[in-house]
Amino acid sequence: MAAPFDKSDDSVVVVIGTGAGGGVLAGELAVKGINVVALEAGGRYLPEDYVNDEWDSFAQLAWTDARTTSGNWRVSRDFSGLPAWIVKAVGGTTVHWAGASLRFQEHEFRVRSEYGNIPGANLLDWPLTLQELEPYYDRAEKNLGVTRTHGIPGLPGSNNYLVFEAGAKALGYKNVHTGRMAINSEDYDGRLACQQTGFCFQGCKWGAKWSSGYVDIPRGEATGNLEVREHAHAARIEHNSEGKVTGVTYFDKDGNEHRQRARLVCVAGNSFESPRLLLNSASAMFPDGLANSSGQVGKNYMRHMTGSVYGIFDKPVRMWRGTTMAGIVTDEARNDPSRGFVGGYEMETLALGIPFMAAFLNPGAWGREFTTALDSYENMAGMWLVGEDMPQETNQISLSPDTKDQWGLPVVNVHFSDHANDIAMRNHAYRQGKAIYEAVGATRTMPTPPYPSTHNLGTNRMSEKAHEGVVNKWGQSHDISNLFVSDGSQFTTGGAENPTLTIVALAFRQADHIAEEMSRGAL
Amino acid sequence: MQKENVLTRRDLLARSMGVAGAFTLGGSFIAATDAAWALEVKHLQPRTMATLVQMARDIYPHDSIGDEFYAIAVKGYDTPEQAPGIEEGIAMLDGMSGGGYLDIGWEADRNAVLRRVQDTEFFQMIRGGLVVGLYNQKEVWPIFGYEGESFSKGGYMDRGFNDINWL
Ligand SMILES: Cc1cc2nc3c(=O)[nH]c(=O)nc-3n(C[C@H](O)[C@H](O)[C@H](O)COP(=O)(O)OP(=O)(O)OC[C@H]3O[C@@H](n4cnc5c(N)ncnc54)[C@H](O)[C@@H]3O)c2cc1C
Ligand code: SF4
């Protein structure tokens, strides 16, 4: 079925990365009859391959190629080589995402106008409105089978959720439910309903949780128009003297270098690898890297304001049973500067197993303050806090001057420091999270610092004006018409919501645009 | 195994009573009081290993987790490559303890020593290694109540994912 394309075939679209953005885009272009070669640095693992074991799964799926870090974020101290916890595999990070699928709020597409000038923040309005994206949000929700949308019922509440719900309601929160999740509450799209197994971060062995790796990619392959090359690490994007891209060089598993010619290239390697690829593709014509006339490639790195609160009770909760993310409070997602910060945040339940809890509860801590918390693991409930962080030009992905990967390519350095607004928001969220658990009798609460990044955004941002960003409202680079960015790095700002539904909506929209432009001969 | 190569119940009792200086055995084994487990050391001095086990417990003290799990978590240091660094690190710890770390009777007093060395590479290596070495042992998970793998049992759909009864 899946047609192998010739490497000299310059009529194909090359998509780099097969995660939320690239996987959906590649599948959708193929369905539209467009020939696609998708290059994926990782291997292919399917539900039968996933393992219900945190560290074994990490070894199977995580991106562990070298990266370096700087800035005052604590991750740089505690996990200096692991700035992000993301996946290298067909399906990308959608293999181990939790599945929370939320739309941006209307004002989050125009925060520069809404929030005004925030010192130190490089805010910009999106060149796109919620209204324009709505039809694509609909498609994305149907594709992912998002609960509580389009008549799909919500998931049942787990123990972790029930504690959270009781506390939130006692505090007076109104919008409390088991979430809009890309997890089947009943059989959907040929996939089973969730069995509350509780290893969503390790890949869903039932296939109940959506992943582009086993939904969109095989759908595309079935058309005969999509070839996925696994263990194919894109190294450089090449261009001709007219400044149009012509192909991609990549390394296979054995370190052999190949060149795939292309009519069009779409970059979707997540917000570290996408700018890295553009920067590593610098040439005499584009000395600062491809698509970088604005100097914004790699800048404005956002990772969401995050943090967790764990609460300990005098009776068992057993939070690990059931979906990893089991419910949400959205009341704090509004923009209400009277709280002391702009933007908003979501509170979402979260559970980790003992191995990850030990690693992430308070990295570096030791002694009884730490171990007595773990001793109460059975009586623990957990939530994750996720909110809009401020884009700052100084928070950036750049090429490391001295560290190279196994292919000899400069790796990225990830520089991040919190903005004052991020800190004010986190402190507010910690207080509210603690209050939720105390309202139902927590005997101890623990404000837990951010984990290595799971949401990576903004490093090739969309802008109306070419000098303010890297791509236009279609994800097409301002500088090179046949070069697109198709992942979370397009985000102009981050919103309070988990990003994947928006990444997927943008991918569907981009697929429509590319198909139209190709058929009218413009691309 | 030769009797005198084994850290005996009496030695361990002595240690737990804070007179572990009595622990003078040569040879290459340390073992549980009830001989439920034994660990052969090939490259480290047994006393060094015993000190390392105590240090591991003091870093991540769980009263319901037996010594054998701490021993398993640190036994990877018993290699020709690692042993010299460990001997040196433990010698430093003993030095900071005014003689022998194992001779300090109260955890709080051992903690005071650990706090003085907590920024050293040695301490950080031991602590960092324990995060996975101790907590990723499947045998310790039940002690925390953690149930581990659940797919083969059909998940928790019918096994208590929402069985909370005290709210
Ligand atoms: C633990 C966890 C939980 C999460 N939960 C949620 C959630 O509940 N809701 C939500 O909205 N989001 C969630 N996310 C975030 C979500 O997974 C990401 O936002 C999303 O997958 C990002 O999509 P992407 O296309 O930008 O990148 P990815 O999905 O990461 O895909 C990038 C792909 O590109 C490949 N690649 C990179 N460089 C190259 C190269 N040079 N050559 C070839 N291939 C390359 C990578 O191997 C990878 O497969 C979670 C993330 C994590 C880690
Ligand atoms: S809890 Fe549900 S969605 Fe999560 S891994 Fe298990 S079956 Fe899949």
Side-chain angles (χ1 to χ4, degrees):
Chain A
M1 285 191 294
F5 295 104
D6 200 276
K7 283 188 274 183
S8 61
D9 184 347
D10 62 3
S11 72
V12 301
V13 171
V14 172
V15 176
I16 299 166
T18 58
V24 170
L25 177 70
E28 182 66 8
L29 289 175
V31 166
K32 289 176 182 298
I34 295 168
N35 290 340
V36 179
V37 171
L39 302 176
E40 170 52 56
R44 191 182 303 231
Y45 308 93
L46 295 172
E48 60 267 29
D49 304 316
Y50 303 142
V51 278
N52 274 192
D53 181 296
E54 290 177 318
W55 285 118
D56 286 352
S57 173
F58 183 86
Q60 180 185 52
L61 299 171
W63 181 288
T64 51
D65 291 6
R67 283 170 175 156
T68 63
T69 47
S70 57
N72 72 14
W73 56 327
R74 205 174 138 177
V75 168
S76 178
R77 187 185 83 202
D78 297 325
F79 303 98
S80 59
L82 191 77
W85 170 25
I86 50 183
V87 172
K88 183 184 196 175
V90 173
T93 313
T94 67
V95 176
H96 78 180
W97 75 317
S101 301
L102 304 171
R103 296 183 180 203
F104 267 38
Q105 303 166 73
E106 191 272 333
H107 73 268
E108 287 172 327
F109 288 98
R110 44 175 190 80
V111 292
R112 178 64 182 79
S113 309
E114 183 81 2
Y115 303 164
N117 181 32
I118 307 287
N122 196 16
L123 287 174
L124 193 67
D125 290 349
W126 287 59
L128 186 66
T129 62
L130 173 62
Q131 211 184 1
E132 279 175 270
L133 204 55
E134 264 165 356
Y136 293 98
Y137 270 137
D138 283 336
R139 275 180 68 186
E141 284 163 349
K142 288 178 189 157
N143 187 54
L144 273 56
V146 178
T147 58
R148 287 172 212 279
T149 72
H150 310 283
I152 301 173
L155 285 156
S158 65
N159 292 335
N160 201 22
Y161 171 72
L162 294 168
V163 172
F164 175 80
E165 178 193 63
K169 290 197 167 154
L171 276 196
Y173 282 131
K174 297 282 180 292
N175 302 297
V176 189
H177 56 77
T178 58
R180 296 186 168 207
M181 304 299 293
I183 293 180
N184 290 348
S185 51
E186 51 192 27
D187 293 3
Y188 184 83
D189 194 21
R191 293 179 290 111
L192 286 175
C194 168
Q195 301 302 308
Q196 301 288 341
T197 310
F199 284 87
C200 308
F201 281 1
Q202 284 66 42
C204 179
K205 289 191 70 65
W206 303 93
K209 181 187 77 177
W210 173 84
S211 166
S212 61
Y214 46 78
V215 176
D216 304 73
I217 291 285
R219 187 193 294 148
E221 287 172 329
T223 66
N225 302 325
L226 169 62
E227 178 189 350
V228 177
R229 292 196 196 135
E230 297 156 29
H231 299 290
H233 185 110
R236 271 186 199 84
I237 300 169
E238 299 184 323
H239 64 81
N240 60 20
S241 57
E242 288 146 41
K244 291 278 195 306
V245 301
T246 54
V248 180
T249 65
Y250 64 93
F251 290 98
D252 67 20
K253 209 179 196 160
D254 306 315
N256 301 310
E257 196 169 358
H258 302 267
R259 170 177 293 108
Q260 174 64 52
R261 304 285 313 271
R263 167 179 186 168
L264 191 112
V265 173
C266 301
V267 184
N270 205 319
S271 293
F272 296 167
E273 296 308 309
S274 291
R276 176 190 181 206
L277 194 56
L278 298 178
L279 295 172
N280 269 336
S281 301
S283 64
M285 191 177 209
F286 299 112
D288 299 323
L290 298 188
N292 198 18
S293 65
S294 63
Q296 293 291 306
V297 169
K299 302 275 172 67
N300 311 305
Y301 169 53
M302 294 171 287
R303 61 185 307 274
H304 269 145
M305 179 295 296
T306 67
S308 306
V309 175
Y310 291 94
I312 292 174
F313 298 84
D314 57 354
K315 296 191 193 70
V317 178
R318 304 194 179 98
M319 66 172 168
W320 65 88
R321 294 183 178 178
T323 54
T324 301
M325 201 162 264
I328 188 168
V329 171
T330 63
D331 296 63
E332 301 285 2
R334 70 194 191 281
N335 176 39
D336 170 8
S338 74
R339 290 173 299 180
F341 53 89
V342 297
Y345 63 89
E346 312 280 358
M347 308 165 99
E348 301 170 345
T349 76
L350 181 77
L352 298 179
I354 267 286
F356 275 9
M357 190 57 84
F360 296 124
L361 178 62
N362 189 5
W366 58 275
R368 281 192 192 262
E369 186 184 5
F370 178 79
T371 56
T372 52
L374 291 183
D375 286 337
S376 295
Y377 176 72
E378 225 178 334
N379 295 6
M380 214 184 262
M383 73 173 83
W384 195 54
L385 308 161
V386 53
E388 180 165 24
D389 61 342
M390 292 294 109
Q392 302 177 70
E393 212 173 87
T394 45
N395 283 343
Q396 63 168 315
I397 307 310
S398 56
L399 296 179
S400 161
D402 39 37
T403 308
K404 298 213 158 77
D405 70 5
Q406 61 271 43
W407 318 122
L409 302 165
V411 307
V412 292
N413 181 67
V414 182
H415 182 90
F416 186 88
S417 296
D418 278 321
H419 187 277
N421 196 76
D422 308 343
I423 295 170
M425 185 191 287
R426 181 177 297 115
N427 288 337
H428 189 275
Y430 277 151
R431 273 198 302 280
Q432 294 309 109
K434 189 174 148 75
I436 283 181
Y437 287 143
E438 284 170 352
V440 271
T443 53
R444 184 172 170 188
T445 55
M446 295 164 290
T448 297
Y451 311 127
S453 309
T454 55
H455 299 172
N456 301 287
L457 305 168
T459 53
N460 293 306
R461 74 176 180 182
M462 270 190 190
S463 64
E464 184 76 54
K465 302 192 184 97
H467 70 273
E468 288 180 330
V470 180
V471 297
N472 67 16
K473 66 195 280 188
W474 306 106
Q476 180 180 31
S477 79
H478 288 303
D479 299 349
I480 302 174
S481 63
N482 66 342
L483 176 62
F484 285 72
V485 174
S486 320
D487 60 15
S489 67
Q490 297 173 82
F491 280 35
T492 310
T493 52
E497 294 74 20
N498 314 55
T500 305
L501 187 75
T502 303
I503 296 175
V504 171
L506 290 172
F508 277 122
R509 183 167 172 275
Q510 189 177 74
D512 276 3
H513 180 72
I514 288 174
E516 274 162 35
E517 294 295 288
M518 279 174 71
S519 65
R520 70 179 189 92
L523 280 173
Chain B
M1 94 178 66
Q2 282 181 321
K3 191 72 187 151
E4 59 273 25
N5 286 350
V6 174
L7 176 62
T8 63
R9 171 189 289 271
R10 191 178 51 80
D11 293 320
L12 274 177
L13 282 176
R15 193 179 101 206
S16 67
M17 287 162 64
V19 286
F23 170 66
T24 54
L25 288 179
S28 62
F29 283 88
I30 56 174
T33 49
D34 54 1
W37 61 277
L39 178 68
E40 190 182 8
V41 279
K42 293 203 174 85
H43 308 282
L44 288 169
Q45 297 301 316
R47 191 187 156 92
T48 303
M49 182 52 99
T51 309
L52 197 55
V53 169
Q54 183 65 57
M55 179 188 179
R57 174 179 287 291
D58 291 336
I59 292 175
Y60 291 126
H62 293 283
D63 297 338
S64 48
I65 294 185
D67 269 352
E68 65 266 40
F69 299 108
Y70 291 95
I72 288 167
V74 297
K75 76 170 196 287
Y77 296 113
D78 185 35
T79 64
E81 300 75 40
Q82 306 252 38
I86 298 292
E87 293 289 355
E88 199 179 303
I90 294 295
M92 169 197 66
L93 197 64
D94 282 338
M96 293 291 222
S97 310
Y101 183 78
L102 282 177
D103 299 336
I104 303 177
W106 285 94
E107 181 180 321
D109 298 329
R110 291 193 300 274
N111 271 337
V113 175
L114 292 181
R115 269 194 299 279
R116 288 168 61 204
V117 303
Q118 68 178 348
D119 293 326
T120 62
E121 237 172 74
F122 173 68
F123 178 91
Q124 286 304 332
M125 177 183 79
I126 302 298
R127 190 202 58 72
L130 283 169
V131 174
V132 178
L134 179 63
Y135 296 109
N136 204 35
Q137 292 180 48
K138 288 192 171 59
E139 296 72 21
V140 310
W141 294 349
I143 301 171
F144 294 105
Y146 181 51
E147 296 166 289
E149 187 275 334
S150 84
F151 172 72
S152 68
K153 302 177 194 107
Y156 293 104
M157 196 62 172
D158 303 313
R159 293 192 313 125
F161 80 101
N162 60 355
D163 65 358
I164 197 159
N165 59 10
W166 53 262
L167 279 168

